[in-house]
Amino acid sequence: MPFDEARYEELHHGGMIGSLVHYRERTASTMDDARAGAAAMRGEGCGDAYLADEQTAGRGRFRRPWVDAPGASLLVTYHLCVLDLVYAPLVGLAGALAASDAVTEASGVETGLKWPNDVLGGERKLAGVLAEAQPGGVEVDVFLGIGINVREAAIAGLSDAERAVATTIEGEGATPPTVEELLAALSEALERRLAQVDAEPERLLADWRARLAMLGSRVRLSTTDGDIEGVAEDVTAEGQLVLRLDSGGTHSFAAGDVTVL
């Protein structure tokens, strides 16, 4: 169903984030749309949202394809502007928390987080967040892509193994919200969480840490250099995962895929 801009404006209660939505029924990637839009705006358009019903070349972390069905997921990328590159990692954390907040607000589904930026319904992935930074002029452009599985059709095209670790708002027993309801909740939650990046980064990190259900568990971390096992002990102020290795020492990791053992 086409995006109802008037209904969204009724639901969106102000703020810079998501105040303008660029909607396409079908696109290759909302992330690419946001990059192109930012380039065309030449420094303007901070806070704009790039929305689509369907992506044909969406991607997640490590440039993996993001599979979706038309109208079954919320697929959006926000063009955000931060003053310093040091804040860019915190934008990804803010995005994960905002997606978690928005799903619960719009549907009632309780969510948790999996390091680094996956949103979980129970123990299965319900949403993914990807932040890509690009130094610009005075500010740094951050493109925050968020995909939320709304209806069961969103994961119908996955393999059996992939479906076993994925879920949707509908699959968690809730009535699927409209795209306008979910996007309004997400934009407002993101506005609040981004305010914490500047004013309360410690609070943001504490909230993020509190939702990481895997802390204290033995995990396998898959990296480009191989698999590493240990106990997920903590996360750093930069969002890195701290593992206590079998040798007794600890090591921090900036990227990888986590499996709880």
Side-chain angles (χ1 to χ4, degrees):
M1 179 178 292
F3 179 65
D4 188 336
E5 185 176 350
R7 177 58 178 155
Y8 172 75
E9 290 178 354
E10 289 176 3
L11 295 166
H12 183 245
H13 302 131
M16 181 183 74
I17 307 301
S19 60
L20 182 60
V21 178
H22 305 267
Y23 166 74
R24 299 178 71 180
E25 184 174 341
R26 191 169 189 261
T27 190
S29 162
T30 61
M31 183 72 75
D32 292 342
D33 290 346
R35 286 181 175 277
M41 294 279 192
R42 295 185 179 181
E44 301 296 329
C46 298
D48 286 8
Y50 292 78
L51 177 73
D53 282 341
E54 180 185 6
Q55 292 184 131
T56 59
R59 63 184 182 272
R61 289 184 302 121
F62 306 117
R63 303 193 70 85
R64 291 175 181 142
W66 178 278
V67 179
D68 64 85
S73 305
L74 177 68
L75 304 168
V76 62
T77 295
Y78 292 92
H79 170 213
L80 307 174
C81 303
V82 299
L83 293 176
D84 195 303
L85 192 59
V86 71
Y87 291 115
L90 294 181
V91 172
L93 309 191
L97 280 165
S100 175
D101 293 341
V103 167
T104 301
E105 180 182 333
S107 70
V109 173
E110 293 296 328
T111 57
L113 299 177
K114 175 185 172 185
W115 184 86
N117 293 326
D118 286 348
V119 179
L120 304 179
E123 297 181 354
R124 298 187 294 171
K125 182 173 178 178
L126 192 150
V129 177
L130 176 67
E132 296 182 350
Q134 175 179 292
V138 176
E139 297 178 310
V140 177
D141 292 316
V142 179
F143 301 97
L144 183 70
I146 299 176
I148 301 176
N149 298 329
V150 178
R151 299 179 182 277
E152 281 292 275
I155 62 174
L158 300 178
S159 68
D160 291 344
E162 290 170 326
R163 279 201 306 275
V165 295
T167 191
T168 68
I169 290 176
E170 186 177 35
E172 292 300 302
T175 300
T178 66
V179 65
E180 295 82 12
E181 291 168 340
L182 188 53
L183 183 64
L186 179 59
S187 295
E188 291 177 12
L190 187 57
E191 188 95 33
R192 295 191 299 268
R193 292 299 183 177
L194 288 174
Q196 289 183 306
V197 171
D198 292 327
E200 300 179 290
E202 297 86 1
R203 174 65 181 275
L204 179 78
L205 283 163
D207 289 349
W208 181 66
R209 184 182 286 110
R211 294 194 196 179
L212 286 172
M214 50 176 276
L215 290 183
S217 299
R218 185 170 180 80
V219 302
R220 178 185 300 113
L221 179 67
S222 298
T223 74
T224 54
D225 296 323
D227 292 351
I228 302 163
E229 292 188 7
V231 175
E233 191 165 89
D234 202 357
V235 286
T236 70
E238 294 76 30
Q240 296 184 350
L241 178 66
V242 180
L243 288 188
R244 179 162 295 280
L245 307 177
D246 293 341
S247 62
T250 61
H251 192 79
S252 299
F253 297 89
D257 280 338
V258 169
T259 302
V260 177
L261 301 176

